[in-house]
Structure formats: C-alpha cells, structure tokens
Amino acid sequence: MTRPIQFKNHPFRFLLYLEWTLLASAALTAALPSHSYRFQARFPELTICSLTLFGLMGLRLPTRNHINKILYTAAEIFLILITGFFGGRTARLFPFLYVILVTRSCLIFQLPGRLVVTALSFLLFLITFRRRFARIALSPASQERFLFFTLSFVLVFGLALLFVLLLMNAVLSERESREKLAIANEKLRQYALQIENQATLEERNRIAREIHDSLGHSLTALNLQLETGLKLWQSNPTKAQAFLAKAKELGSKALQDVRQSVSTMRSHPLQEQSLEQAIASLAENVQRSTGVAPICQIHLSHVPVEISTAIYRIVQESFTNICKYAQATEVKLEITTTKNSLQLRISDNGIGFDLTQNTTGFGLQSMRDRTMALGGYFNINSAPGSGCKITATIPLSRFLLTPVDHD
C-alpha cells in the first residue's frame, strides 16, 4: 500500500470492530471497582488512557516510512506494557493486546517484520507473565498444577500468535492475488480494446485496398478506353466505337465490383479462374489500353489461395500503374516457384520515377503491405528515364500446401 491505512481505506474493518470491542471490555474492567486488592488496578486512569490511545492508534497505520513503522510499533508495545503492569484485572486481557499488535504488524510490515513482531510479542508476554506470578506462594501440589497450567497457557498463547500470523498472511496473500488479478484483467481489457482497434484499422485498410485494387483498376481502364475513343472518334469512328464498347464493358464491371465490395468485399477475386488465366486477362486489358502486349512467363506449382490473391492484386496494380504513367513499349512479367518461395518480377522500359518522391502512393503501399503480410520481401527499383522493376518474394514454407493428386 502506498498511503496510510485509515478507517476509510482499511482492508479489514471487522478487525477494527473486534479491537474496539476487546479494548472497550478491558477499559470497562479497569474502571469497575474490585473487592480483591490483588486484582485491583493501581492506576485505572492510566490504564484506561493507555487502552484508549492504543485503540485510536489503530485508526491510522503507517505504510511508507520504515522508521515510522518501527516507532509506531514501539509505541504500541509501550502502551501494552503499561496495561500489563498497572492494569489489575485488566491485565487478564493484556495478552490479547499482543494479538492485536501482531495483526496490525501484518498490515504494515512485510513477512520478516511480521516474524520479528510476533517473536517479540511472545517474548514480552513471557516476561510480563512471569513477573506477575513470580511472588505467588503455593504449596508443592499446587505448584505442580500451576506449572502445568502455566506451560499450557504459554503454549496455547504462542500457538494463537502463530495462528494469527499465518491467518493474516494467508488473507493478505489472497487479497494481493485478487488485486493483481483485477489489475491483470484491466490490462487484458485494455489489450483487447487495442487489438480490436488494430483489427478494425487493419480491416479498414483491407477494404481500402480491395476497393483501390478492384474498382480503381476498372475505373482507370475505363478512363483510358474513353480517352482513346474520344481521340479516334473523328479519324477512325469504327475503332473508336470498339474502345467505347470496351469502356461500357469496364463500366459494367466497375459497377459489379462496387456491389460485390459493399456486400462481401469479395475475398477471392480470382473467382473460378486460375492465377495464370486471371493474369492473362489482365495482360489483354493492358494490350487493349496501350497497344503493348506484356511478355508473361509463369511457372507455377500448387500455390495457396492467400498467395494467389496477393500476386493477382500486385500484378493488377502494377499493370494499372504501367497503363497510367509508364508510357512503356515493353512489359515483362515473370512468376516462378521453388520449393520454399515464390518470386514475382515485373519490369517495363517506361519513363520511370523518383523513388524518393513516388513511393507513398496507396497503390505502391498496398503492394508492399500485401507482400509483407505474407512474410515476404518487396522491392521497387526505378529512376527517371530508366523504367521500373518490381520484385516480390513470398515464402511458401509458412503455408500448409495441400499436395496435388495426379492419379
């Protein structure tokens, strides 16, 4: 605990109630007159004041400064000794004050300090107990019974102190475990919120990539077809009509992409096609838009769906950028697989771009994110006037490949 233990933050208020009940009984015993001189309190006012002060000390227990803890415990012991020496009949109850002392020590000290206070309490109890009964004259037979009673009482009281110490340690340990568990649950709740927020952000990014890579590609190709159709409208109406028809087809596809994105954000854009067929369709779109037929060299074994989708999106984005910006006359695509990895290379001889100024676009970042999400390596090599080369290497070992049955 970091602040003093007071009534309002006391971990076990029932202990305070028990202390007050016991101390009130002791004070009442000291205040009542006694017919026996042996059990009469010599200084009842001093005894009552000591008990009252001892009880009030329980309302504020130090927990920070070690010196304050020691001084506090010493003051408690001093008040208990006053009660034991001058309390008369109240002295019958003074051993139980040591129980309160041990209980309080468990709240302010760690285990070594608790053991010291418990041992000191038992030692002081023996000294006070022996002094009180040292002058009693008994017959030999009574002495034997008195010795047995004394040893039994001392043993029972020692066991009581030990029981209180063990009980308080167990209760405090259980309480500390609950507090740690509550803290751990709160941290777990915060981590869960962070994970939820992160998952939401990743899902938003995924949706943005899907819209960009599907709808963005279709709209870009549509724009290129319309631009070409407008340029050829007067010089070659027949050819322009073909471009416009293709633009209409692309518009229908864009509308379809929007519907699919809103409904399911289609998880597998290849649908029923193989990766080779889907890439061939992308290459045909490039040829129709730019007049350049990409040279495709694809050598694939069985590739997991996750990797096929990522490769398709990377090729699609690369071809879209080539159509929009590259002004290339030659485009090459190569996909090969080894036992442990898949390698993708896309290059063109276009105008290129400055890597320091053109690598923050969503399309390039989308390609990089898709590759890195699969544990792969993504690299872009380009310079103004030197074309562009994209390389992606994706490991296959982390995916469980289903063997193809050739029988």
Side-chain angles (χ1 to χ4, degrees), residues 155 181 192 204 233 248 275 289 310 318 330 334 371 388 391 395:
L155 180 61
L181 181 60
R204 288 175 179 174
W233 179 251
K248 182 179 182 301
L275 181 58
S289 299
S318 298
E330 183 177 310
E334 181 181 0
T371 304
C388 177
T391 304

Side-chain angles (χ1 to χ4, degrees), residues 16 40 101 107-108 129 160 184 187 225 228 238 248 260 264 275 304 329-330 352 354 367 402:
L16 281 177
Q40 186 175 2
L101 176 64
L107 296 175
I108 63 178
F129 188 80
K187 289 184 177 179
Q225 297 294 328
T228 305
T238 304
K248 182 179 182 301
Q260 290 178 343
T264 61
L275 181 58
T329 59
E330 183 177 310
D354 187 353
M367 290 189 286
T402 304

